[in-house]
Amino acid sequence: MIEAFIIRVQEFSELFGEKQNVKDTEGFYNYYNAVAKKSKQNETDILLVANMFLTGFDSKYLNTLYVDKNLKYHGLIQAFSRTNRILDKNKTQGNIVCFRNLKDKTDEAIALFSNKEAIDEIIVEPYEAYVEKFNEATQRLLEIVPEVVSVDGLYSEEDQLQFVLAFRAMMRLHKKMSHYTEFTWDDLQIEEQLFADYTSKYLDLKERLDPTDPSKKASILNDIDFELELIRRDTINVTYILQLLIKFNSKQSAKDKESTEKDIFNLLNTEVSLRSKRELIEKFIQESLPHIEDTDAIPEEFEKFWNVEQEKALQELVKTENLSEEKTERLIENYLFTEREPLRKEILDLRKEGRPSVLKSKEIGDRILNKIIGFVDTFVNGISGN
């Protein structure tokens, strides 16, 4: 047993380029701390423990806890609490998979350390309850927009608001259900493709609220949180799309090509991280892809295309806003490095004609900032993954 553990430690050291050993107490705790650090930084996929990391350890990335031990009282609460760190709207609760029947022990522990009424607040509802709620929400949506094209006929902002609220409720329930291992679209009263089509229309409404366009009047939808985190999937990025393009180019049958093309355009329409890149990717598919015979050359050709489009977009930005190109490039680099949005003062210092009047500073500063954020979102974020 000890020999097997030492081998695992050696494998850990080789994997992360460290020199861990557990020959003495100090070495063991150095290894323990190294494992904890890697887990907190989301550098480990699965961690096998026994009576460890129950106190003083929190990783916001920890999503699922697999339990194969008879726990009770404070030990159960400590173990289950390892999953209680909320990461974002994609992780709204922890997921506990038990290989023992701990239902009664869980209720006892919660009642002892909290109160009897807290059980319904701490433990999420059964999967079936969310299915029922989702299907009810689907019916409410279809009463507002019976078909996808019906969304285009919502001319008043009040009607658009009703659609946004109804579909947002469905997205919230879908996100909760997707954490369950038994989740399947077969249980729902809407097909996955139809849900994706409504998602595209939902995103279209969001994009119409262009903060960079001063000619557009204030909208009541500006006060609505569209909660795009409910849609975002970080693993879907431009690299992923390129793999699909390679797959598309290598397909021989028209049916296979049609299926892959459908997957690509569906992702471009529904994936939040790709929406700002959609027009450019479609341009590459239509204008460049047909002339590339070697599928292995697609990534390189796409990079050339992207660099040209990026330079054109930068030139358009500095020209329309009369900015210093050198200062703008430096500010964007600093923004990417620090991950801090530039201050209005820094934005206005980019202007060749100097700062505007106090009355126009906010309007002009916000417009340029939104354009810079849009530039980064299009040409940098989501290119190679997160």
Side-chain angles (χ1 to χ4, degrees):
M1 196 71 175
I2 297 297
E3 290 77 7
F5 176 59
I6 292 176
I7 292 174
R8 300 289 87 78
V9 175
Q10 291 173 343
E11 291 175 345
F12 175 88
S13 298
E14 292 173 3
L15 178 63
F16 292 105
E18 299 189 2
K19 297 180 180 179
Q20 301 292 340
N21 70 77
V22 288
K23 294 181 180 179
D24 52 38
T25 302
E26 182 179 357
F28 174 80
Y29 279 105
N30 287 337
Y31 169 69
Y32 175 96
N33 290 328
V35 171
K37 182 178 180 181
K38 298 298 181 185
S39 299
K40 288 183 178 181
Q41 295 175 344
N42 200 27
E43 296 183 50
T44 57
D45 295 320
I46 189 167
L47 188 60
L48 304 178
V49 297
N51 293 328
M52 301 188 75
F53 296 110
L54 293 179
T55 59
F57 173 80
D58 281 302
S59 173
K60 60 185 179 181
Y61 300 101
L62 178 59
N63 181 68
T64 304
L65 181 71
Y66 298 89
V67 180
D68 190 16
K69 185 175 183 179
N70 289 323
L71 301 172
K72 61 181 180 178
Y73 304 132
H74 71 281
L76 183 147
I77 293 293
Q78 286 180 329
F80 284 17
S81 296
R82 296 313 93 199
T83 68
N84 69 354
R85 287 288 298 277
I86 302 302
L87 176 59
D88 51 30
K89 291 176 183 175
N90 287 303
K91 182 196 172 188
T92 57
Q93 72 273 322
N95 188 29
I96 310 293
V97 179
C98 283
F99 296 97
R100 311 279 180 110
N101 187 354
L102 298 179
K103 176 65 170 65
D104 292 340
K105 293 298 182 182
T106 301
D107 292 346
E108 289 176 12
I110 294 174
L112 177 63
F113 293 102
S114 182
N115 60 66
K116 293 181 180 179
E117 287 71 30
I119 294 175
D120 292 335
E121 298 179 10
I122 296 174
I123 306 298
V124 296
E125 295 183 68
Y127 169 69
E128 294 74 16
Y130 289 116
V131 170
E132 182 178 351
K133 289 182 179 181
F134 183 90
N135 288 333
E136 290 174 356
T138 299
Q139 293 306 312
R140 288 195 293 271
L141 177 79
L142 296 178
E143 290 173 4
I144 301 171
V145 281
E147 299 177 332
V148 175
V149 294
S150 303
V151 181
D152 298 329
L154 300 175
Y155 297 114
S156 74
E157 289 192 342
E158 288 73 15
D159 289 341
Q160 293 173 0
L161 176 61
Q162 292 306 309
F163 164 70
V164 168
L165 295 177
F167 190 72
R168 188 180 67 178
M170 289 179 63
M171 290 197 305
R172 288 174 174 174
L173 290 166
H174 172 257
K175 180 59 66 176
K176 289 183 177 180
M177 287 190 300
S178 64
H179 290 286
Y180 289 82
T181 55
E182 58 263 54
F183 171 74
T184 171
W185 282 96
D186 293 338
D187 294 332
L188 308 181
Q189 294 177 3
I190 186 172
E191 295 181 355
E192 184 176 7
Q193 181 58 54
L194 186 56
F195 184 80
D197 293 339
Y198 276 112
T199 301
S200 180
K201 293 296 184 182
Y202 182 85
L203 291 172
D204 285 342
L205 278 177
K206 171 61 177 174
E207 287 186 352
R208 290 180 200 169
L209 304 173
D210 186 0
T212 67
D213 188 349
S215 66
K216 292 187 177 181
K217 66 175 184 177
S219 168
I220 60 174
L221 298 179
N222 281 325
D223 297 327
I224 298 298
D225 183 358
F226 279 72
E227 300 184 13
L228 299 185
E229 295 85 352
L230 295 172
I231 310 173
R232 182 172 290 113
R233 292 168 291 177
D234 292 336
T235 56
I236 306 298
N237 48 50
V238 172
T239 301
Y240 183 86
I241 292 294
L242 287 178
Q243 295 303 314
L244 287 179
L245 291 178
I246 292 172
K247 178 181 176 183
F248 172 82
N249 246 29
S250 63
K251 294 292 183 183
Q252 299 299 319
S253 72
K255 184 177 180 181
D256 287 341
K257 280 199 170 187
E258 182 181 350
S259 176
T260 304
E261 184 178 34
K262 182 180 178 182
D263 289 341
I264 293 171
F265 285 103
N266 185 49
L267 285 171
L268 292 177
N269 283 326
T270 60
E271 186 58 41
V272 174
S273 63
L274 296 175
R275 292 281 289 190
S276 63
K277 306 167 178 55
R278 181 177 57 183
E279 289 186 10
L280 289 174
I281 294 176
E282 289 178 351
K283 180 179 178 181
F284 176 79
I285 292 173
Q286 294 166 1
E287 298 181 6
S288 301
L289 193 60
H291 305 292
I292 303 175
E293 297 181 359
D294 183 4
T295 55
D296 292 337
I298 290 178
E300 182 180 351
E301 291 300 320
F302 181 83
E303 184 177 359
K304 292 178 182 177
F305 165 83
W306 204 252
N307 289 338
V308 170
E309 294 296 330
Q310 179 175 328
E311 180 60 26
K312 286 165 58 177
L314 179 62
Q315 293 300 323
E316 177 68 17
L317 171 61
V318 298
K319 180 182 178 181
T320 55
E321 295 295 342
N322 197 20
L323 309 178
S324 163
E325 182 177 347
E326 182 181 351
K327 288 182 179 180
T328 302
E329 288 180 344
R330 192 160 57 242
L331 181 137
I332 291 174
E333 290 175 359
N334 188 60
Y335 170 37
L336 291 171
F337 179 76
T338 63
E339 297 183 350
R340 174 187 65 82
E341 283 190 9
L343 302 175
R344 186 179 301 155
K345 174 182 178 298
E346 297 171 318
I347 291 292
L348 296 176
D349 284 342
L350 301 177
R351 286 165 44 95
K352 291 182 179 179
E353 55 195 306
R355 294 192 186 185
S357 65
V358 176
L359 293 176
K360 291 189 175 182
S361 290
K362 184 179 187 306
E363 176 189 334
I364 295 176
D366 288 349
R367 185 181 69 235
I368 297 174
L369 174 61
N370 282 317
K371 287 186 176 182
I372 289 176
I373 292 175
F375 175 85
V376 171
D377 188 48
T378 297
F379 291 100
V380 181
N381 294 339
I383 295 298
S384 59
N386 302 310

